[in-house]
Amino acid sequence: MKTTKLVVGIMMIVLAAFILFQSSAVGLGNALANNGETSGSSGFLVAVLYLATGIVYIVTRKREGLGGDIAGLIMMLICGLMGFNAGSYSDLVIWSVLAVIIDTGFFTWHLAVRDKNE
């Protein structure tokens, strides 16, 4: 479990950097077009939540409790809700759905492994 949390945490941080770059470009495009969309800002928040979840996974990889997993699940479900504000940033839907899939799958798997060990 320790290695998996480390790998998923690093993957989330790398994806956060990519999402941040992408949402900055979309935000600039929205500002230049003056279209009133907030999808670039939503993308920025999704990137921050990806980064926070990655850090939480790396920090809590050696702990036995579910606190880090529950925090990550909540943050990624918030990312899933951000996908509804996609506007012209259609990739935001992809990042939001990916967040929900990764974290609900990871949380479910962690619960199954934990129950098997007890």
Side-chain angles (χ1 to χ4, degrees), residues 29 32 45 53 57 59 65 71-72 75 81 91 105 108 111 117:
L32 291 176
L45 291 175
T53 302
Y57 281 158
V59 169
M75 287 188 279
L81 293 174
D91 284 355
T108 305
L111 281 178
N117 290 339

Side-chain angles (χ1 to χ4, degrees), residues 70-100:
I70 292 172
L73 180 67
I74 291 170
M75 287 188 279
M76 291 295 102
L77 289 176
I78 292 170
C79 284
L81 293 174
M82 293 287 206
F84 292 117
N85 189 22
S88 62
Y89 184 19
S90 59
D91 284 355
L92 184 60
V93 175
I94 296 169
W95 299 124
S96 298
V97 169
L98 183 66
V100 172

Side-chain angles (χ1 to χ4, degrees), residues 1 108-118:
M1 184 57 78
T108 305
W109 176 68
H110 191 183
L111 281 178
V113 169
R114 182 172 184 216
D115 288 343
K116 185 188 281 187
N117 290 339
E118 289 181 354

Side-chain angles (χ1 to χ4, degrees), residues 9 12-13 15-16 19-20 41-57 71-82 96 99 103:
M12 298 295 269
I13 291 172
L15 285 174
I19 296 168
L20 181 65
S41 300
S42 296
F44 176 77
L45 291 175
V46 167
V48 168
L49 288 171
Y50 263 78
L51 178 66
T53 302
I55 291 170
V56 166
Y57 281 158
L73 180 67
I74 291 170
M75 287 188 279
M76 291 295 102
L77 289 176
I78 292 170
C79 284
L81 293 174
M82 293 287 206
S96 298
D103 210 63

Side-chain angles (χ1 to χ4, degrees), residues 10-28:
I10 291 171
M11 182 183 70
M12 298 295 269
I13 291 172
V14 170
L15 285 174
F18 185 72
I19 296 168
L20 181 65
F21 174 74
Q22 213 175 26
S23 64
S24 297
V26 170
L28 180 64

